[in-house]
Amino acid sequence: MSEPDKGTNGSILAVSDIHTYYGDSHILQGVSLEVRRGECTALLGRNGAGKTTTLRSIVGLTPARSGRIVFANQDISGWTTHRIVRLGLGYVPENRGIFSNLTVREHLMVAVWASGVSSQRLDQVLAIFPRISERMDNLGQQLSGGEQQMLSIARALLGEPDLLVLDEPSEGLAPIIVNEVSDTLARIKETGTSILLVEQNAEMALSLADSVTILSQGRVQFSGTPKELEEAPRISEAYLGVSV
Amino acid sequence: MTQQLQINNVTKRFGGLRIIEGFDLELQAGARHAIIGPNGAGKTTLFNMISGWLVPTSGNISIDGKNIAGMSPEKVTEAGLARSFQKNTLFEGLSVLESLRLSIQARSRARFNFLAAASSFKDIIEQACIAAEKMNLQDVLDRQVKTLSYGQKRQLEVAMALACSPKILLLDEPAAGTSPAERTLLMQLLNELPKEMTLLLVEHDMDVVFGVCSQITVLNYGRAVVTGTPEEIRQNEDVRAAYLGKSLDQDGGRHE
Amino acid sequence: MSFFLFNLLNGLQLSMLLFLMAIGLTVIFGLMDILNLAHGAFYMVGAYFGYVLYQLTGSFWFALAFGPLLPMLLGFILQLFVLQPLIDRGRSAHLDMALLTFGILFFIIGLIDLIFFETFGLTFISIEKPDLLRGAIYVGTFYPAYRLLIIALGLIVGLLVWVLLDRTVIGAVVRAGVDDREMVRAMGIDIYKVFALVFALGCGLAGLAGVVAGAELSIDVNMGVQILIPTLVVVILGGLGSVKGCFIGALIVGMADTMTQAYLPALSMFTTYIFLAVMLMVRPQGFFGRAPKVL
Amino acid sequence: QEKVVKIGLLTDFSGVFAQLAKDIEDAWMLAYDERGGMIAGHKIEIIREDAENSPQVAVQKANKLIKSDGVAVFGGLISSGGGIALAGLADQEKVPFVAGFAVADELTGKYCSPYVARTSFAANALQSAAGAYWASEGAKTAVFMGPDYAAGHAMRDGFRRGFEGGGGEVVLEIMTPLGSTRDWGPSLLRAQQSNAEMIYSFYAGSEAVQVVKQHSDFAMKQSMPLRGDMWLYDEALWSAMGGAQLDAVQITVYTNALETEASERFKEAFKKKYDRLPVASNAMGYTNANAIFDALAVAIEENNGELPEDGAKIITALSNLELDDPRGPVRFNASNNAVQDELYMIRIVEGPEGLHHELIAHTPYGEDLPGCDM
Amino acid sequence: MAEVQQADPQTSAVAMAADRAESRTFWIVAVPGLAVLTIAPLLSGAYFVALLTEILIFAILTSGLNLLVGYTGLVSLGHAAFLGVGAYVTAIISLLWGYPVWLAMIAAVAAGLVISCLIGVLSVRTRGVQFLLITLAFGQLFHAVAEKSRYTGGDDGMTRIPRINLEFIGLDSSDAQVFYFFVLACFVVALFFLRIVVRSPFGRVLIGIRENEKRVQAVGYRISPYKSLAFAFSGMLAGLSGSLWVQHTYFINPHLMTWQMSGEALLMVIIGGSQAFFGPLLGSAFYVLLKSYLSTITDAYLVIFGLMFVFVVAFFNGGIAGFTSSMAARVLAFWRRR
Ligand SMILES: Nc1ncnc2c1ncn2[C@@H]1O[C@H](COP(=O)(O)OP(=O)(O)OP(=O)(O)O)[C@@H](O)[C@H]1O
Ligand SMILES: Nc1ncnc2c1ncn2[C@@H]1O[C@H](COP(=O)(O)OP(=O)(O)OP(=O)(O)O)[C@@H](O)[C@H]1O
Ligand SMILES: [Mg+2]
Ligand SMILES: [Mg+2]
């Protein structure tokens, strides 16, 4: 359905020059980035660089104090979170956002209720993570770390969002599942979903990304394609601590 | 000669669900051992039993020949075992320094002292600083834990376990959430641990596992499938199929 | 024999009155994690508003049906415009909320006192029972009809709330919202509205209890504070957030109260608290509460 | 320059006694008006404070009255615990305290003091009179029902003394937890099982409402009437009792059905000022205010027109008063406790203007428990 | 296994600075505060002195309670029981048995310690609301016993309880100012004791328990002795407070032991700020002064009182103390920037 967008495409998400604070500390000092329709943008950086804060600003959980965020052709600066999300956004937060006192089934029920999708969709998503289906009646707090992560991803996929915002989705997953996730993301990108991906697993991130933004200390240090990044090893050495 | 850590035929059930089934493991002092396995295999559950947070349904766990199964966590820690948590379990409202001080103070005789100022125990402060430096946390020493980024919290999680200076150290996914740069630092640190300290590691990052440990046990559905050297594990077809997947095809991965 | 049956009914009646009161608190406290000490105030508001409606219309049934609306509305406003914004500003500490709602309890008591006592000179009032329910009905023994209404009402309301919270997704959404409010918002749910509605429901139930009690007991400015502790005891005994637990808790407190008064009166001052202390030492999470997180 | 005498009206304006406190205040203001706000050349200044039915607060407010306002005397208090607390404080601070309603026997017994007096009555005296009355009416068996705390015990002991002294027997005592009893069903049933001829009961406020209503709900009015005192059937509770109080008989220290000269005067004056008839607690407040004012007048006159230094003089003067009170002649015994000639038995009946009291008998005042040596 | 390593001097400097800053703020508040508490009663009337006395007595109770609430994270709704224990022990020993008051005071403090230790051991198995309720239950049981006890006058209570005899230093404790300074001395001792406790390694563990009980266990502390002892210390101070209270009012009855009293103590702690050492003192002062003032000027004081709480919670993060210190920090920051 979103095929015609591709190519012609503007961006689905454009963040320009946002400044975000936690209390008095000025964390994001003018961050700009873009996710083009049907593409994947990877946001990389060392611990404490401001990646999560950027995502939280976009989703409206820690609103930026200044700057502009345009999502799906709407200026969403200052919007409440649930309104933003209803525009077609799926979010996998850093801490996984699992509800400790809900069973897996209830998690999925709530997600279905919130996004109004059919239960058929549920089966499709569960097929990606068979492990989850084995744990339907466990409480969130009884899941293993990796199972929580899978549930969090599944939940975001469930709503068929136009933009997936993922904060370290591979964290705590077994290598084989990381591959699975990576493949899944590649597949849904094919169907036109756009992705904003924060990852410490640079390998996975770069294999998926169409463009890369690197943050350090709340500022953008690099913005370009994965290929350009590979050709500039000094940048990745300096801001990621590895050469890619 | 008795092993430092002995786990014999340990089983754990939750209701009807068998999570760990007849698990055995023996570690000598100074061992570097990893447990890997798919998500939900029971690694964390195993850690919880060893460290006193869960009581095994059956089986024995002993440290230096002393049975610790069913002991409370603090007693196990007193017996010389420390662990980090997969899910951050930190003093969110305290500073990094305070957190580390508490870890170190736990082994000091001062811990029940209510008449002397904590600030007069300079050695504890000094050691807290050292512990922070080891994990590259010195710059955020006086920050409240809740203002740290996720990766920084993960580092503190490990630092606090290390600060207990245990005989046996259990780390549950210490590298998760840390950036490649910090990960290199972590590996370095683990490789420089005191010789006599025993390390039991759960980790999904194979670079760390292969780079630090000399023996690896693979756990699947609560059972130990194989135990072997990194090389053996890497070559094992079953392990590849069930756990490693294709990414290790080109030997060791690309980033290091 | 009929002495026992009588007391059984008495115990049931008291239990259901407590249950009506406690169910709102367990919903608000257990699900939304707000220790709403103003609950007693909503109970009062229900009773007083019911009284006013009764005076205006002369109909008990009208008062019963519409009396709970005012506490409901007030609860909605309180949650949406006072509590929630504060929680969002990071003031979710239980104690803060307890203090704030306690302040509201004071405020409402003061206000009611000002209106009804200082202005109209009314200290003790009550709603008249409808003629239909004035007599006694034969249920193995003659028993006051109004008390039978209380029993029936408790059972019906309990069932409805149980269905709403345990059998629909609403309960799960609310619990999810308490575990991680941000995540629920990030799923596109306007959790504030859900919270406010559930809060209003809880307050409405307190108001309903107020109207019912306004005919059986009496309406005065101390009623709100007096009911608070027994209600809290019921909620904790049953286990937070569980409608079933709340039912059991109410039965325990109501029956214990009645039976000791009937058979062991010397102890009746102590029973509830002895029960509570023992229970909490043996099973801190209450009958139907989930065990506290181990890991 | 005008001379002023400051008097504290310290009573329980909030809490369960709010209505009684207001009644007392109204009566004080009437007495004040009747004297034109002056006694013995001094302008009266009344400072009112709320003791909130809490002894802690009573002490704090008394401290304020004594130390900040400098009152010559203070009175009014209703709650027994508060009364005892103030008795101790008055004794320590040497500022006279005249209790207006506090009924604990100890107030003018164990804790009596040259700085403490009471213008109402002691619990035991009132209830023993009630007991004696019912025994004399031929009742042989009774159940006593009341709240399980000091005042309840005092009332019970008094009733027992009178009733059993007159040949009756209290076959069952039911003491219910104060403030935490939520249903009287079980207790009423126990009473019913005892097959006694009557229940005699002391309750106040919402507890009284509930007991009376539930007693009627259980259809016990005919088989085992509920009798009590002016607290149980207080007029302020009538609107909440929904008719259950009709025909009930009670003892009281004052009723507006009393048609003595002093009572008529009081009723008229009160009606003129407040446009309603006074109730027992108004009368109690009236005695309290008049006793204080009169005593002050005497003490000031004896001290050559000046307020005496020693507050005990005021209490001495008070103790020597003989009041022509609406309640009937009121005197004071050796422990500074008020004693009146007789008490009144009344029934609640329905008239053209609604429910009112009907005076059915006069009965002798009960004897106070032994006082103390000061 | 000895660590031979040395920390970077710069790191240690940061570490030491944190401790020093904490201690500096304490003295910046404590010295002028004590000066005010010493001078104020000399300049004011007898009634105000009585109010100040009351404030300090409550502050002993609430500061002790805060060791539980603010430091250990345990909210007790039964502390009035220990207040009552201290008060009744004092009254019984001095009034009924006729022993000297100083002896009764020592006994009261000891009784507070021992009894709260027992209750503490039973209660600390729970936490959160359950802890709140179990302490409430114990508190109510004590209250019921006091109500029932005819020996101590039941609900009527006892009056004319003597004050401590200070004649050996030539003072008369029935004098309001003299008694005030005696209470002030007790207060200073009590707060000094608390200060030592909260700064000690023991106190640090309590804070750790508040932040994350599980981690405290994981690093090797047994938590229940810590919690029980914290409970006992706070009960001990409640006992002292109760003992002073009966001397102040000459009176005791079970009203002092109701849950409402426990609730008031909690209110004072939270209004003042449970995260600050002097928060409870501020809270007590605010509560006592506001209440006595408001109830004197208006009948509708409950309305205003209630609104006041709402206001404090809504706008003063961390109570009065928290608000003051964040204002101070802001002013300081502003001043530095200029
Ligand atoms: N609640 C907070 N209050 C104050 N500072 C915060 C808060 N959360 C994060 N920070 C700070 O903001 C900076 C950016 O944090 P952020 O979480 O965005 O980093 P990140 O890039 O996601 O790091 P990581 O890879 O470790 O998750 C860090 O220095 C962190 O310490
Ligand atoms: N309290 C519990 N009740 C029921 N099942 C539980 C409970 N705790 C854990 N489990 C289940 O036990 C299994 C093992 O969990 P565990 O956390 O040990 O896995 P893990 O090997 O650490 O996985 P991961 O790598 O994802 O962290 C999981 O499937 C989990 O759902
Ligand atoms: Mg992050
Ligand atoms: Mg795990």
Side-chain angles (χ1 to χ4, degrees), chain B residues 89 93 102 111 116 118 133 157, chain E residues 8 11 199 211 215 221 226:
Chain B
T89 305
L102 271 176
R111 63 190 185 172
E133 282 171 358
E157 181 68 50
Chain E
D8 190 321
T11 318
R199 289 186 74 208
E211 291 297 328
R215 190 71 200 215
Y221 298 96
Y226 286 90

Side-chain angles (χ1 to χ4, degrees), chain B residues 61-132:
Chain B
I61 306 174
S62 57
I63 293 180
D64 292 331
K66 186 171 155 228
N67 187 24
I68 57 159
M71 256 189 198
S72 63
E74 59 270 21
K75 295 247 176 76
V76 176
T77 308
E78 273 170 25
L81 184 143
R83 68 170 293 187
S84 75
F85 292 88
Q86 181 177 9
K87 183 157 183 279
N88 288 340
T89 305
L90 301 170
F91 303 120
E92 294 278 334
L94 301 190
S95 69
V96 172
L97 174 71
E98 276 298 326
S99 308
L100 292 170
R101 260 163 90 167
L102 271 176
S103 291
I104 290 159
Q105 183 188 294
R107 306 174 272 124
S108 119
R109 256 186 297 156
R111 63 190 185 172
F112 216 80
N113 187 332
F114 56 79
L115 293 176
S119 56
S120 65
F121 296 92
K122 302 280 184 233
D123 51 327
I124 294 182
I125 302 177
E126 180 74 6
Q127 286 182 45
C129 294
I130 294 172

Side-chain angles (χ1 to χ4, degrees), chain D residues 4-8 28 35 38-46 71-75 96 98 288-308 310-311 313-319 321:
Chain D
V4 173
V5 55
K6 293 184 179 173
I7 304 171
W28 269 58
R35 281 153 213 268
M38 296 290 289
I39 24 176
H42 287 60
K43 192 170 169 339
I44 306 174
E45 189 184 325
I46 294 176
V71 296
V73 50
F74 60 105
V98 185
N288 192 233
N290 278 326
I292 291 174
F293 295 163
D294 287 354
L296 273 170
V298 172
I300 290 171
E301 266 153 28
E302 279 177 357
N303 196 34
N304 308 322
E306 293 297 329
L307 208 56
D310 183 4
K313 295 240 167 69
I314 300 172
I315 297 295
T316 313
L318 185 142
S319 199
L321 293 174

Side-chain angles (χ1 to χ4, degrees), chain A residues 51-52 94 167-168, chain B residues 149-150:
Chain A
K51 305 179 293 294
T52 299
E94 173 172 77
D167 202 342
E168 305 195 24
Chain B
S149 81
Y150 186 72

Side-chain angles (χ1 to χ4, degrees), chain A residues 144-145, chain B residues 44 86 172-173:
Chain A
S144 85
Chain B
T44 302
Q86 181 177 9
D172 199 348
E173 303 199 20

